[in-house]
Amino acid sequence: MSDYNLEKRRYILSGVAVAVVTIYIIRLFTLQLMSDDYKKNADSNAFLKKIEYPSRGAIYDRNGSLLVYNQPAYDIMVVMNEEKGRIDTADFCNTLGITKEFFEKRMDDIKDRSKNPGYSRFTQQLFMSQLSNEEFSAFQEKLYRFPGFYIQRRSIRQYKAEVAAQVIGDVAEVSPADLENDGYYIPGDYIGKLGIEKYYEKELRGEKGVQILLRDARGRIQGKYMNGAYDRKPVAGKDVTLSIDLKLQQLGERLMEGKIGSIVALDPATGEVLCMVSAPSYNPRIMAGRARAKNHRLLTQDLWKPLLNRSIMGMYPPGSTFKTSQALTFLTEGIVTPTTAYPCSRGFYCRGLHVGCHSHGAPIAVVDAISTSCNAYFCWGLYYMMGNRSKYKSAFEAMNLWRDYMVSMGFGYPLGIDLPGEKRGMIPNAEFYDRNYKGSWNGLTIVSISIGQGEVTLTPLQIANLGATIANRGHYYTPHVVRKVQDTPLDDAFREKHYTKASRQSYDYVVAGMRSSALKGTCRLLSKLPFEACGKTGTAQNRGRDHSVFMGFAPMDNPKIAIAVYVENGGWGADYGVPIGSLMMEQYITGTLSPESQTRAEAMQQRHIGYGPRYVTK
């Protein structure tokens, strides 16, 4: 019996010994092969990997004028595994001009993985960004007192001109979502947040370099590891040349001071954006440096939304500028001929429905209908198109064909401009009306869309593109604000012609109508220009005062510029739209304004509509 107990005890002790050895082996395997904590610790003691940031690409206007460049700045980085609470916090805070509370909160935030998902105690983490030269000098002198802290040279954006803020955009520290979406970034990096800076981020940012520095047991830098054999030099970001004309942009922003709305000008021959004004705007310089967060918050809270690029995000009723698209559709479909005349007795009257119009001669044909902006003519055209059973089986079929014409002209979907956030606007189809009217609708139900009201909305960019399409007599190029990226060909999408469904001949009649409008119609101010300009006004109905709209191009037979002006609550199209559009055309085509036009520009600059001077935060 005793021998059995001894034998049993021997098995138990052997099993315990085997278990202990197995546990040790598994733990050693985990530490040495499965975990890199000790490797990181060893590497962090021996090496310091110092990231070298590339200079971000500069931004120029179409004529080579510098718009955005870089200025040196300095970040303070910390390696938590080296800092370990060994510094004199009071001395550190006094040197940087910060409070102890700020220091403690910042250190806690760095270690909080929910706020800083890329955190590692062995790698450099951003403590404080964008020190000025003075702050850098004061900190540099005492850096030896603060183990674990390092200085990282960076650059911040500077702006040569205070214009085109919504187009250019800005740069700010990466968010957790940015870190998750792109492995290129680490906490503390900067990324384009809006506009060109965001859309062309990969071209502008360049490629980071790295220096591997060797340290002794006390953490002192001894020089480059292997004489820099494993270092990698940074690659500078690519310069970007915009299609924006600086002088034209400056004039547009002057003219839109104290107003809400947009100006968009295009080169019809290329689709290049010559200017893009969104009002109210702001000084782009306030979005650089450590004050960016505070200023961004102020802009976000502003009632009139200066951060919103109304040129591509504002969805407005196009008003009578839309009548040109209707004329093109009706002529091409044979609903009207150039001589078809419709009655207008101060408006459209049919089966109890009345749509008002101003006084002019009648009956009226298409060229004069465009020139005088006759509502009745286009209401009759849509009414007869929806009701034409010899051509279309039903209003449903006619409506969807109408929709196809509008889509071919660049409406209802984003045009594809190289800026983030472009909206599509609204072009209804037959299914839309079936849902809203339960299948019971006809041409009279929807007649307001023929004059750019009702459910139809466009962006100012789409209205300008309509002008460019008419200028080209039937095709357009995808609008784009970047003319050239250094050492990179322009995207083929911006070189492709987009043809509409309307006939070439129909465009000739619409051009004739727009030229007639400049000579004797609603755009008569254009007749004073030293070149042949074509235009179409719009007065878009609104719950308050109507919006003032203008769309045009010039010269008539060799177009260099197509333009849309949209002034919220500006009243008649001739009140704000035409005067601003004519000044912009003159500036671009002649290169300057005449003395008389300069006087008109100064007067327009002083005309405010419910909004003060351009939003600028100090």
Side-chain angles (χ1 to χ4, degrees), residues 542-589:
N542 181 41
R543 290 180 181 177
R545 192 183 181 203
D546 293 342
H547 302 318
S548 179
V549 196
F550 169 75
M551 178 270 290
F553 62 92
M556 180 173 70
D557 293 324
N558 185 24
K560 303 293 184 186
I561 182 173
I563 189 166
V565 179
Y566 209 106
V567 180
E568 294 186 27
N569 310 121
W572 296 102
D575 290 344
Y576 285 90
V578 178
I580 290 174
S582 68
L583 289 167
M584 296 292 285
M585 287 178 173
E586 181 180 352
Q587 170 65 44
Y588 184 70
I589 291 178

Side-chain angles (χ1 to χ4, degrees), residues 396-530:
F396 190 98
E397 180 184 321
M399 184 65 212
N400 278 345
L401 181 65
W402 178 91
R403 183 272 320 273
D404 292 344
Y405 271 89
M406 298 305 103
V407 170
S408 78
M409 295 178 195
F411 310 143
Y413 294 91
L415 283 165
I417 192 171
D418 50 348
L419 286 172
E422 183 191 4
K423 301 300 184 184
R424 63 183 290 173
M426 169 63 176
I427 294 294
N429 57 19
E431 289 80 3
F432 173 87
Y433 288 120
D434 271 358
R435 287 195 304 270
N436 284 273
Y437 293 99
K438 302 191 185 313
S440 179
W441 58 274
N442 56 38
L444 288 179
T445 315
I446 64 171
V447 74
S448 61
I449 65 175
S450 68
I451 57 173
Q453 297 290 162
E455 294 77 20
V456 170
T457 60
L458 305 181
T459 65
L461 176 65
Q462 289 172 328
I463 299 174
N465 193 61
L466 172 61
T469 306
I470 297 170
N472 290 333
R473 278 58 166 183
H475 72 269
Y476 68 89
Y477 296 90
T478 300
H480 48 285
V481 293
V482 166
R483 196 178 198 193
K484 181 174 62 175
V485 176
Q486 179 184 350
D487 302 326
T488 304
L490 189 67
D491 193 322
D492 288 341
F494 299 131
R495 302 181 189 277
E496 180 185 352
K497 285 184 179 180
H498 300 274
Y499 289 91
T500 75
K501 287 177 67 67
S503 67
R504 173 64 173 79
Q505 189 177 29
S506 68
Y507 279 97
D508 292 334
Y509 290 108
V510 169
V511 169
M514 292 176 68
R515 180 56 184 159
S516 177
S517 181
L519 294 175
K520 60 180 182 178
T522 57
C523 298
R524 283 187 293 273
L525 185 60
L526 299 182
S527 65
K528 297 182 179 181
L529 292 169

Side-chain angles (χ1 to χ4, degrees), residues 109-120 125 176 179 187-188:
D109 286 347
I110 289 172
K111 291 181 281 189
D112 185 343
R113 292 184 185 274
S114 65
K115 297 178 180 178
N116 185 16
Y119 171 70
S120 168
Q125 305 291 313
L179 293 172

Side-chain angles (χ1 to χ4, degrees), residues 116-355:
N116 185 16
Y119 171 70
S120 168
R121 69 180 188 273
F122 301 114
T123 61
Q124 292 188 5
Q125 305 291 313
L126 177 67
F127 175 81
M128 193 170 177
S129 66
Q130 300 182 5
L131 271 67
S132 66
N133 284 327
E134 294 76 15
E135 292 170 325
F136 161 71
S137 298
F139 188 75
Q140 174 77 4
E141 290 180 4
K142 294 185 176 182
L143 185 60
Y144 69 94
R145 299 185 187 179
F146 310 130
F149 285 88
Y150 300 89
I151 290 176
Q152 175 73 63
R153 190 179 186 279
R154 294 282 192 108
S155 61
I156 58 174
R157 291 307 234 179
Q158 290 296 324
Y159 302 87
K160 196 77 172 178
E162 300 176 5
V163 295
Q166 296 101 331
V167 174
I168 292 171
D170 69 304
V171 175
E173 189 177 338
V174 291
S175 66
D178 295 325
L179 293 172
E180 190 173 323
N181 292 336
D182 193 332
Y184 172 86
Y185 301 102
I186 60 173
D189 280 358
Y190 301 120
I191 190 173
K193 291 292 185 179
L194 296 169
I196 290 298
E197 295 278 19
K198 179 176 182 178
Y199 194 94
Y200 286 92
E201 165 66 14
K202 290 185 178 179
E203 290 82 0
L204 286 165
R205 74 188 184 189
E207 292 293 332
K208 288 182 282 194
V210 64
Q211 276 190 6
I212 304 176
L213 305 176
L214 193 61
R215 301 193 286 196
D216 63 16
R218 297 185 179 181
R220 294 173 298 195
I221 302 298
Q222 300 299 302
K224 291 186 176 184
Y225 173 65
M226 297 286 288
N227 292 319
Y230 294 97
D231 291 355
R232 187 174 67 250
K233 291 184 178 181
V235 178
K238 296 178 179 180
D239 294 342
V240 168
T241 299
L242 303 186
S243 56
I244 298 291
D245 183 291
L246 176 58
K247 291 183 179 179
L248 190 65
Q249 183 77 22
Q250 288 172 326
L251 174 61
E253 296 201 9
R254 275 181 55 207
L255 297 175
M256 289 298 290
E257 282 195 17
K259 306 167 187 69
I260 303 166
S262 168
I263 305 173
V264 180
L266 304 174
D267 180 349
T270 61
E272 293 174 354
V273 177
L274 302 175
C275 87
M276 181 174 281
V277 177
S278 179
S281 185
Y282 58 93
N283 185 345
R285 291 173 180 164
I286 69 173
M287 299 294 272
R290 291 210 300 272
R292 180 195 180 275
K294 181 189 75 172
N295 292 331
H296 185 270
R297 186 170 59 254
L298 290 173
L299 292 173
T300 302
Q301 294 169 351
D302 187 282
L303 179 64
W304 301 110
K305 297 179 173 55
L307 286 172
L308 180 71
N309 186 347
R310 286 171 166 82
S311 298
I312 61 172
M313 298 176 180
M315 295 183 289
Y316 300 103
S320 295
T321 61
F322 197 62
K323 292 172 182 175
T324 55
S325 68
Q326 304 309 287
L328 293 165
T329 303
F330 302 155
L331 286 165
T332 304
E333 280 295 294
I335 303 301
V336 301
T337 69
T339 59
T340 301
Y342 290 128
C344 179
S345 180
R346 285 190 171 272
F348 170 77
Y349 293 87
C350 184
R351 295 164 59 184
L353 178 67
H354 174 229
V355 177

Side-chain angles (χ1 to χ4, degrees), residues 601-618:
E602 290 168 3
M604 180 60 71
Q605 185 177 353
Q606 300 305 315
R607 293 175 64 182
H608 294 180
I609 309 174
Y611 194 88
R614 187 176 58 151
Y615 191 106
V616 178
T617 298
K618 301 297 183 185

Side-chain angles (χ1 to χ4, degrees), residues 31-50:
L31 289 175
Q32 293 184 22
L33 299 180
M34 301 296 289
S35 172
D36 61 353
D37 282 356
Y38 286 91
K39 182 180 185 300
K40 285 182 178 178
N41 200 6
D43 285 350
S44 68
N45 289 332
F47 305 117
L48 174 66
K49 291 184 178 180
K50 184 177 181 182

